[in-house]
Each structure stands twice: as structure tokens, then as C-alpha cells.
PDB file of all heavy atoms in Angstrom:
ATOM      1  N   PHE J 719       0.846  -1.205  -0.008  1.00 97.00           N
ATOM      2  CA  PHE J 719       0.001   0.012  -0.022  1.00 97.00           C
ATOM      3  C   PHE J 719       0.851   1.229  -0.003  1.00 97.00           C
ATOM      4  O   PHE J 719       1.985   1.203   0.518  1.00 97.00           O
ATOM      5  CB  PHE J 719      -0.899   0.006   1.239  1.00 97.00           C
ATOM      6  CG  PHE J 719      -1.946  -1.096   1.267  1.00 97.00           C
ATOM      7  CD1 PHE J 719      -1.638  -2.326   1.761  1.00 97.00           C
ATOM      8  CD2 PHE J 719      -3.177  -0.875   0.765  1.00 97.00           C
ATOM      9  CE1 PHE J 719      -2.577  -3.348   1.775  1.00 97.00           C
ATOM     10  CE2 PHE J 719      -4.171  -1.867   0.774  1.00 97.00           C
ATOM     11  CZ  PHE J 719      -3.862  -3.088   1.301  1.00 97.00           C
ATOM     12  N   PRO J 720       0.358   2.381  -0.527  1.00 96.00           N
ATOM     13  CA  PRO J 720       1.207   3.580  -0.583  1.00 96.00           C
ATOM     14  C   PRO J 720       1.475   4.167   0.761  1.00 96.00           C
ATOM     15  O   PRO J 720       0.640   4.071   1.671  1.00 96.00           O
ATOM     16  CB  PRO J 720       0.334   4.525  -1.448  1.00 96.00           C
ATOM     17  CG  PRO J 720      -1.057   4.039  -1.357  1.00 96.00           C
ATOM     18  CD  PRO J 720      -0.908   2.527  -1.162  1.00 96.00           C
ATOM     19  N   GLU J 721       2.668   4.839   0.869  1.00 96.00           N
ATOM     20  CA  GLU J 721       3.076   5.555   2.049  1.00 96.00           C
ATOM     21  C   GLU J 721       3.110   4.742   3.344  1.00 96.00           C
ATOM     22  O   GLU J 721       2.896   5.244   4.442  1.00 96.00           O
ATOM     23  CB  GLU J 721       2.196   6.837   2.271  1.00 96.00           C
ATOM     24  CG  GLU J 721       2.260   7.791   1.131  1.00 96.00           C
ATOM     25  CD  GLU J 721       1.657   9.119   1.445  1.00 96.00           C
ATOM     26  OE1 GLU J 721       1.697   9.554   2.635  1.00 96.00           O
ATOM     27  OE2 GLU J 721       1.129   9.788   0.518  1.00 96.00           O
ATOM     28  N   VAL J 722       3.356   3.435   3.174  1.00 97.00           N
ATOM     29  CA  VAL J 722       3.432   2.515   4.336  1.00 97.00           C
ATOM     30  C   VAL J 722       4.911   2.302   4.714  1.00 97.00           C
ATOM     31  O   VAL J 722       5.785   2.100   3.839  1.00 97.00           O
ATOM     32  CB  VAL J 722       2.755   1.188   4.025  1.00 97.00           C
ATOM     33  CG1 VAL J 722       3.074   0.172   5.138  1.00 97.00           C
ATOM     34  CG2 VAL J 722       1.247   1.388   3.927  1.00 97.00           C
ATOM     35  N   GLU J 723       5.155   2.287   6.023  1.00 97.00           N
ATOM     36  CA  GLU J 723       6.521   1.936   6.550  1.00 97.00           C
ATOM     37  C   GLU J 723       6.337   0.891   7.615  1.00 97.00           C
ATOM     38  O   GLU J 723       5.302   0.846   8.294  1.00 97.00           O
ATOM     39  CB  GLU J 723       7.209   3.165   7.104  1.00 97.00           C
ATOM     40  CG  GLU J 723       6.490   3.805   8.306  1.00 97.00           C
ATOM     41  CD  GLU J 723       7.260   4.940   8.906  1.00 97.00           C
ATOM     42  OE1 GLU J 723       8.540   4.997   8.655  1.00 97.00           O
ATOM     43  OE2 GLU J 723       6.688   5.734   9.671  1.00 97.00           O
ATOM     44  N   GLU J 724       7.368   0.009   7.752  1.00 96.00           N
ATOM     45  CA  GLU J 724       7.330  -0.980   8.788  1.00 96.00           C
ATOM     46  C   GLU J 724       8.232  -0.486   9.906  1.00 96.00           C
ATOM     47  O   GLU J 724       9.394  -0.150   9.710  1.00 96.00           O
ATOM     48  CB  GLU J 724       7.892  -2.315   8.258  1.00 96.00           C
ATOM     49  CG  GLU J 724       7.919  -3.420   9.275  1.00 96.00           C
ATOM     50  CD  GLU J 724       8.491  -4.704   8.759  1.00 96.00           C
ATOM     51  OE1 GLU J 724       8.462  -4.927   7.540  1.00 96.00           O
ATOM     52  OE2 GLU J 724       8.951  -5.551   9.574  1.00 96.00           O
ATOM     53  N   VAL J 725       7.746  -0.537  11.130  1.00 95.00           N
ATOM     54  CA  VAL J 725       8.516  -0.092  12.316  1.00 95.00           C
ATOM     55  C   VAL J 725       8.445  -1.229  13.342  1.00 95.00           C
ATOM     56  O   VAL J 725       7.394  -1.771  13.628  1.00 95.00           O
ATOM     57  CB  VAL J 725       7.884   1.183  12.893  1.00 95.00           C
ATOM     58  CG1 VAL J 725       8.642   1.579  14.129  1.00 95.00           C
ATOM     59  CG2 VAL J 725       7.917   2.311  11.862  1.00 95.00           C
ATOM     60  N   GLU J 726       9.589  -1.544  13.929  1.00 90.00           N
ATOM     61  CA  GLU J 726       9.630  -2.554  14.994  1.00 90.00           C
ATOM     62  C   GLU J 726       9.340  -1.897  16.311  1.00 90.00           C
ATOM     63  O   GLU J 726       9.985  -0.853  16.680  1.00 90.00           O
ATOM     64  CB  GLU J 726      10.985  -3.199  15.034  1.00 90.00           C
ATOM     65  CG  GLU J 726      11.117  -4.359  15.964  1.00 90.00           C
ATOM     66  CD  GLU J 726      10.571  -5.668  15.383  1.00 90.00           C
ATOM     67  OE1 GLU J 726      10.296  -5.692  14.164  1.00 90.00           O
ATOM     68  OE2 GLU J 726      10.431  -6.636  16.130  1.00 90.00           O
ATOM     69  N   SER J 727       8.359  -2.419  17.021  1.00 83.00           N
ATOM     70  CA  SER J 727       8.036  -1.852  18.341  1.00 83.00           C
ATOM     71  C   SER J 727       7.520  -2.967  19.257  1.00 83.00           C
ATOM     72  O   SER J 727       6.696  -3.775  18.829  1.00 83.00           O
ATOM     73  CB  SER J 727       6.920  -0.772  18.188  1.00 83.00           C
ATOM     74  OG  SER J 727       6.554  -0.266  19.428  1.00 83.00           O
ATOM     75  N   HIS J 728       8.049  -3.037  20.478  1.00 78.00           N
ATOM     76  CA  HIS J 728       7.666  -4.026  21.444  1.00 78.00           C
ATOM     77  C   HIS J 728       7.825  -5.448  20.875  1.00 78.00           C
ATOM     78  O   HIS J 728       6.989  -6.314  21.120  1.00 78.00           O
ATOM     79  CB  HIS J 728       6.212  -3.809  21.919  1.00 78.00           C
ATOM     80  CG  HIS J 728       6.046  -2.493  22.617  1.00 78.00           C
ATOM     81  ND1 HIS J 728       6.557  -2.261  23.913  1.00 78.00           N
ATOM     82  CD2 HIS J 728       5.472  -1.338  22.243  1.00 78.00           C
ATOM     83  CE1 HIS J 728       6.255  -1.004  24.250  1.00 78.00           C
ATOM     84  NE2 HIS J 728       5.596  -0.460  23.296  1.00 78.00           N
ATOM     85  N   GLY J 729       8.817  -5.673  20.079  1.00 78.00           N
ATOM     86  CA  GLY J 729       9.171  -6.968  19.565  1.00 78.00           C
ATOM     87  C   GLY J 729       8.329  -7.399  18.393  1.00 78.00           C
ATOM     88  O   GLY J 729       8.363  -8.652  18.031  1.00 78.00           O
ATOM     89  N   MET J 730       7.510  -6.579  17.796  1.00 89.00           N
ATOM     90  CA  MET J 730       6.724  -6.945  16.658  1.00 89.00           C
ATOM     91  C   MET J 730       6.681  -5.907  15.608  1.00 89.00           C
ATOM     92  O   MET J 730       6.826  -4.679  15.899  1.00 89.00           O
ATOM     93  CB  MET J 730       5.275  -7.309  17.095  1.00 89.00           C
ATOM     94  CG  MET J 730       4.439  -6.140  17.529  1.00 89.00           C
ATOM     95  SD  MET J 730       2.692  -6.585  17.880  1.00 89.00           S
ATOM     96  CE  MET J 730       2.908  -7.393  19.410  1.00 89.00           C
ATOM     97  N   PRO J 731       6.505  -6.297  14.313  1.00 95.00           N
ATOM     98  CA  PRO J 731       6.434  -5.361  13.276  1.00 95.00           C
ATOM     99  C   PRO J 731       5.128  -4.585  13.288  1.00 95.00           C
ATOM    100  O   PRO J 731       4.067  -5.190  13.400  1.00 95.00           O
ATOM    101  CB  PRO J 731       6.554  -6.157  11.993  1.00 95.00           C
ATOM    102  CG  PRO J 731       7.105  -7.482  12.419  1.00 95.00           C
ATOM    103  CD  PRO J 731       6.612  -7.692  13.807  1.00 95.00           C
ATOM    104  N   HIS J 732       5.211  -3.255  13.229  1.00 97.00           N
ATOM    105  CA  HIS J 732       4.002  -2.396  13.114  1.00 97.00           C
ATOM    106  C   HIS J 732       4.011  -1.797  11.673  1.00 97.00           C
ATOM    107  O   HIS J 732       5.028  -1.266  11.241  1.00 97.00           O
ATOM    108  CB  HIS J 732       4.008  -1.262  14.098  1.00 97.00           C
ATOM    109  CG  HIS J 732       3.793  -1.706  15.506  1.00 97.00           C
ATOM    110  ND1 HIS J 732       2.905  -1.063  16.360  1.00 97.00           N
ATOM    111  CD2 HIS J 732       4.299  -2.704  16.261  1.00 97.00           C
ATOM    112  CE1 HIS J 732       2.909  -1.625  17.545  1.00 97.00           C
ATOM    113  NE2 HIS J 732       3.754  -2.637  17.487  1.00 97.00           N
ATOM    114  N   PHE J 733       2.904  -1.898  11.005  1.00 98.00           N
ATOM    115  CA  PHE J 733       2.804  -1.317   9.689  1.00 98.00           C
ATOM    116  C   PHE J 733       2.009  -0.046   9.764  1.00 98.00           C
ATOM    117  O   PHE J 733       0.854  -0.025  10.256  1.00 98.00           O
ATOM    118  CB  PHE J 733       2.146  -2.304   8.677  1.00 98.00           C
ATOM    119  CG  PHE J 733       2.945  -3.561   8.536  1.00 98.00           C
ATOM    120  CD1 PHE J 733       2.658  -4.713   9.291  1.00 98.00           C
ATOM    121  CD2 PHE J 733       4.066  -3.588   7.726  1.00 98.00           C
ATOM    122  CE1 PHE J 733       3.436  -5.850   9.196  1.00 98.00           C
ATOM    123  CE2 PHE J 733       4.825  -4.772   7.616  1.00 98.00           C
ATOM    124  CZ  PHE J 733       4.505  -5.870   8.324  1.00 98.00           C
ATOM    125  N   LYS J 734       2.614   1.052   9.319  1.00 98.00           N
ATOM    126  CA  LYS J 734       2.059   2.400   9.535  1.00 98.00           C
ATOM    127  C   LYS J 734       1.870   3.077   8.189  1.00 98.00           C
ATOM    128  O   LYS J 734       2.640   2.980   7.294  1.00 98.00           O
ATOM    129  CB  LYS J 734       2.970   3.236  10.436  1.00 98.00           C
ATOM    130  CG  LYS J 734       3.128   2.741  11.860  1.00 98.00           C
ATOM    131  CD  LYS J 734       3.882   3.711  12.702  1.00 98.00           C
ATOM    132  CE  LYS J 734       3.911   3.248  14.151  1.00 98.00           C
ATOM    133  NZ  LYS J 734       4.481   4.275  15.051  1.00 98.00           N
ATOM    134  N   VAL J 735       0.767   3.840   8.144  1.00 97.00           N
ATOM    135  CA  VAL J 735       0.560   4.714   6.965  1.00 97.00           C
ATOM    136  C   VAL J 735       0.429   6.129   7.545  1.00 97.00           C
ATOM    137  O   VAL J 735      -0.340   6.402   8.410  1.00 97.00           O
ATOM    138  CB  VAL J 735      -0.718   4.346   6.176  1.00 97.00           C
ATOM    139  CG1 VAL J 735      -1.973   4.256   7.047  1.00 97.00           C
ATOM    140  CG2 VAL J 735      -0.952   5.280   5.022  1.00 97.00           C
ATOM    141  N   GLN J 736       1.269   7.008   7.000  1.00 96.00           N
ATOM    142  CA  GLN J 736       1.314   8.407   7.453  1.00 96.00           C
ATOM    143  C   GLN J 736       1.470   8.482   8.994  1.00 96.00           C
ATOM    144  O   GLN J 736       0.888   9.297   9.646  1.00 96.00           O
ATOM    145  CB  GLN J 736       0.012   9.105   6.989  1.00 96.00           C
ATOM    146  CG  GLN J 736      -0.130   9.110   5.493  1.00 96.00           C
ATOM    147  CD  GLN J 736      -1.466   9.625   5.035  1.00 96.00           C
ATOM    148  OE1 GLN J 736      -2.496   8.973   5.248  1.00 96.00           O
ATOM    149  NE2 GLN J 736      -1.510  10.827   4.406  1.00 96.00           N
ATOM    150  N   GLY J 737       2.269   7.567   9.523  1.00 95.00           N
ATOM    151  CA  GLY J 737       2.615   7.591  10.949  1.00 95.00           C
ATOM    152  C   GLY J 737       1.616   6.904  11.855  1.00 95.00           C
ATOM    153  O   GLY J 737       1.881   6.825  13.084  1.00 95.00           O
ATOM    154  N   LYS J 738       0.546   6.368  11.305  1.00 97.00           N
ATOM    155  CA  LYS J 738      -0.453   5.692  12.131  1.00 97.00           C
ATOM    156  C   LYS J 738      -0.510   4.214  11.820  1.00 97.00           C
ATOM    157  O   LYS J 738      -0.533   3.813  10.688  1.00 97.00           O
ATOM    158  CB  LYS J 738      -1.819   6.332  11.887  1.00 97.00           C
ATOM    159  CG  LYS J 738      -1.925   7.759  12.342  1.00 97.00           C
ATOM    160  CD  LYS J 738      -3.339   8.275  12.102  1.00 97.00           C
ATOM    161  CE  LYS J 738      -3.512   9.727  12.549  1.00 97.00           C
ATOM    162  NZ  LYS J 738      -4.882  10.209  12.342  1.00 97.00           N
ATOM    163  N   THR J 739      -0.513   3.383  12.901  1.00 97.00           N
ATOM    164  CA  THR J 739      -0.523   1.952  12.689  1.00 97.00           C
ATOM    165  C   THR J 739      -1.857   1.429  12.275  1.00 97.00           C
ATOM    166  O   THR J 739      -2.906   1.800  12.850  1.00 97.00           O
ATOM    167  CB  THR J 739      -0.130   1.223  14.012  1.00 97.00           C
ATOM    168  OG1 THR J 739       1.185   1.677  14.442  1.00 97.00           O
ATOM    169  CG2 THR J 739      -0.108  -0.267  13.888  1.00 97.00           C
ATOM    170  N   PHE J 740      -1.854   0.602  11.230  1.00 98.00           N
ATOM    171  CA  PHE J 740      -3.091  -0.069  10.789  1.00 98.00           C
ATOM    172  C   PHE J 740      -3.012  -1.592  10.918  1.00 98.00           C
ATOM    173  O   PHE J 740      -4.062  -2.280  10.833  1.00 98.00           O
ATOM    174  CB  PHE J 740      -3.448   0.312   9.372  1.00 98.00           C
ATOM    175  CG  PHE J 740      -2.492  -0.222   8.320  1.00 98.00           C
ATOM    176  CD1 PHE J 740      -2.740  -1.386   7.619  1.00 98.00           C
ATOM    177  CD2 PHE J 740      -1.294   0.501   7.976  1.00 98.00           C
ATOM    178  CE1 PHE J 740      -1.861  -1.842   6.637  1.00 98.00           C
ATOM    179  CE2 PHE J 740      -0.456   0.067   6.974  1.00 98.00           C
ATOM    180  CZ  PHE J 740      -0.750  -1.136   6.321  1.00 98.00           C
ATOM    181  N   ALA J 741      -1.791  -2.110  11.155  1.00 98.00           N
ATOM    182  CA  ALA J 741      -1.638  -3.585  11.293  1.00 98.00           C
ATOM    183  C   ALA J 741      -0.395  -3.921  12.081  1.00 98.00           C
ATOM    184  O   ALA J 741       0.618  -3.254  11.959  1.00 98.00           O
ATOM    185  CB  ALA J 741      -1.592  -4.269   9.938  1.00 98.00           C
ATOM    186  N   ASN J 742      -0.491  -4.937  12.935  1.00 97.00           N
ATOM    187  CA  ASN J 742       0.646  -5.482  13.653  1.00 97.00           C
ATOM    188  C   ASN J 742       0.800  -6.939  13.312  1.00 97.00           C
ATOM    189  O   ASN J 742      -0.195  -7.686  13.246  1.00 97.00           O
ATOM    190  CB  ASN J 742       0.438  -5.387  15.188  1.00 97.00           C
ATOM    191  CG  ASN J 742       0.334  -3.959  15.658  1.00 97.00           C
ATOM    192  OD1 ASN J 742       0.879  -3.026  15.088  1.00 97.00           O
ATOM    193  ND2 ASN J 742      -0.389  -3.769  16.782  1.00 97.00           N
ATOM    194  N   LEU J 743       2.005  -7.432  13.074  1.00 97.00           N
ATOM    195  CA  LEU J 743       2.271  -8.829  12.899  1.00 97.00           C
ATOM    196  C   LEU J 743       2.778  -9.416  14.229  1.00 97.00           C
ATOM    197  O   LEU J 743       3.854  -9.020  14.674  1.00 97.00           O
ATOM    198  CB  LEU J 743       3.294  -9.015  11.786  1.00 97.00           C
ATOM    199  CG  LEU J 743       3.761 -10.488  11.545  1.00 97.00           C
ATOM    200  CD1 LEU J 743       2.546 -11.377  11.161  1.00 97.00           C
ATOM    201  CD2 LEU J 743       4.823 -10.557  10.462  1.00 97.00           C
ATOM    202  N   ALA J 744       1.997 -10.294  14.827  1.00 96.00           N
ATOM    203  CA  ALA J 744       2.316 -10.833  16.161  1.00 96.00           C
ATOM    204  C   ALA J 744       2.610 -12.324  16.070  1.00 96.00           C
ATOM    205  O   ALA J 744       1.708 -13.078  15.666  1.00 96.00           O
ATOM    206  CB  ALA J 744       1.201 -10.575  17.092  1.00 96.00           C
ATOM    207  N   VAL J 745       3.837 -12.697  16.332  1.00 94.00           N
ATOM    208  CA  VAL J 745       4.215 -14.105  16.284  1.00 94.00           C
ATOM    209  C   VAL J 745       4.462 -14.624  17.714  1.00 94.00           C
ATOM    210  O   VAL J 745       5.357 -14.134  18.441  1.00 94.00           O
ATOM    211  CB  VAL J 745       5.514 -14.335  15.484  1.00 94.00           C
ATOM    212  CG1 VAL J 745       5.903 -15.810  15.422  1.00 94.00           C
ATOM    213  CG2 VAL J 745       5.306 -13.795  14.034  1.00 94.00           C
ATOM    214  N   ASN J 746       3.593 -15.517  18.183  1.00 93.00           N
ATOM    215  CA  ASN J 746       3.690 -16.088  19.513  1.00 93.00           C
ATOM    216  C   ASN J 746       3.714 -14.986  20.595  1.00 93.00           C
ATOM    217  O   ASN J 746       4.576 -15.065  21.513  1.00 93.00           O
ATOM    218  CB  ASN J 746       4.931 -16.999  19.594  1.00 93.00           C
ATOM    219  CG  ASN J 746       4.893 -17.912  20.806  1.00 93.00           C
ATOM    220  OD1 ASN J 746       3.816 -18.428  21.158  1.00 93.00           O
ATOM    221  ND2 ASN J 746       5.996 -18.114  21.485  1.00 93.00           N
ATOM    222  N   HIS J 747       2.878 -14.041  20.446  1.00 93.00           N
ATOM    223  CA  HIS J 747       2.862 -12.956  21.404  1.00 93.00           C
ATOM    224  C   HIS J 747       2.601 -13.397  22.831  1.00 93.00           C
ATOM    225  O   HIS J 747       1.561 -14.010  23.111  1.00 93.00           O
ATOM    226  CB  HIS J 747       1.769 -11.893  21.020  1.00 93.00           C
ATOM    227  CG  HIS J 747       1.712 -10.748  21.918  1.00 93.00           C
ATOM    228  ND1 HIS J 747       2.646  -9.734  21.992  1.00 93.00           N
ATOM    229  CD2 HIS J 747       0.804 -10.416  22.884  1.00 93.00           C
ATOM    230  CE1 HIS J 747       2.358  -8.853  22.894  1.00 93.00           C
ATOM    231  NE2 HIS J 747       1.188  -9.211  23.478  1.00 93.00           N
ATOM    232  N   HIS J 748       3.587 -13.211  23.686  1.00 90.00           N
ATOM    233  CA  HIS J 748       3.499 -13.621  25.096  1.00 90.00           C
ATOM    234  C   HIS J 748       3.175 -15.118  25.212  1.00 90.00           C
ATOM    235  O   HIS J 748       2.417 -15.529  26.095  1.00 90.00           O
ATOM    236  CB  HIS J 748       2.526 -12.792  25.864  1.00 90.00           C
ATOM    237  CG  HIS J 748       3.038 -11.385  26.111  1.00 90.00           C
ATOM    238  ND1 HIS J 748       2.305 -10.397  26.771  1.00 90.00           N
ATOM    239  CD2 HIS J 748       4.236 -10.761  25.754  1.00 90.00           C
ATOM    240  CE1 HIS J 748       2.976  -9.280  26.824  1.00 90.00           C
ATOM    241  NE2 HIS J 748       4.181  -9.481  26.208  1.00 90.00           N
ATOM    242  N   GLY J 749       3.638 -15.887  24.214  1.00 90.00           N
ATOM    243  CA  GLY J 749       3.441 -17.362  24.288  1.00 90.00           C
ATOM    244  C   GLY J 749       2.086 -17.829  23.894  1.00 90.00           C
ATOM    245  O   GLY J 749       1.689 -18.942  24.253  1.00 90.00           O
ATOM    246  N   ASP J 750       1.319 -17.018  23.115  1.00 92.00           N
ATOM    247  CA  ASP J 750      -0.045 -17.440  22.780  1.00 92.00           C
ATOM    248  C   ASP J 750      -0.126 -18.483  21.679  1.00 92.00           C
ATOM    249  O   ASP J 750      -1.205 -19.017  21.365  1.00 92.00           O
ATOM    250  CB  ASP J 750      -0.914 -16.242  22.419  1.00 92.00           C
ATOM    251  CG  ASP J 750      -0.519 -15.532  21.128  1.00 92.00           C
ATOM    252  OD1 ASP J 750       0.417 -16.009  20.426  1.00 92.00           O
ATOM    253  OD2 ASP J 750      -1.097 -14.463  20.778  1.00 92.00           O
TER     254      ASP J 750
END
């Protein structure tokens, strides 16, 4: 998608558009 950047925060990738997060990729978050 346009103007999207990936930022690592709290151990997971955050996908942001214009500085606002619209999706997080969570792998085994807190052992879930």
C-alpha cells in the first residue's frame, strides 16, 4: 500500500501509513 512503513516496536512489526498503525504482525505474542 502507498506511504506505508514498517516499524519494529515491542518486539513486533507495526505497519504504519502516514505515521499511524493499521496492522501489527504478532508471532507467539507472550506465548499465545
Side-chain angles (χ1 to χ4, degrees):
F719 293 86
E721 297 192 33
V722 168
E723 62 175 343
E724 179 183 339
V725 178
E726 188 80 11
S727 178
H728 298 287
M730 71 175 74
H732 289 227
F733 298 97
K734 296 188 173 188
V735 55
Q736 299 171 292
K738 295 182 179 180
T739 300
F740 67 95
N742 297 332
L743 176 60
V745 181
N746 196 39
H747 179 72
H748 289 178
D750 67 4

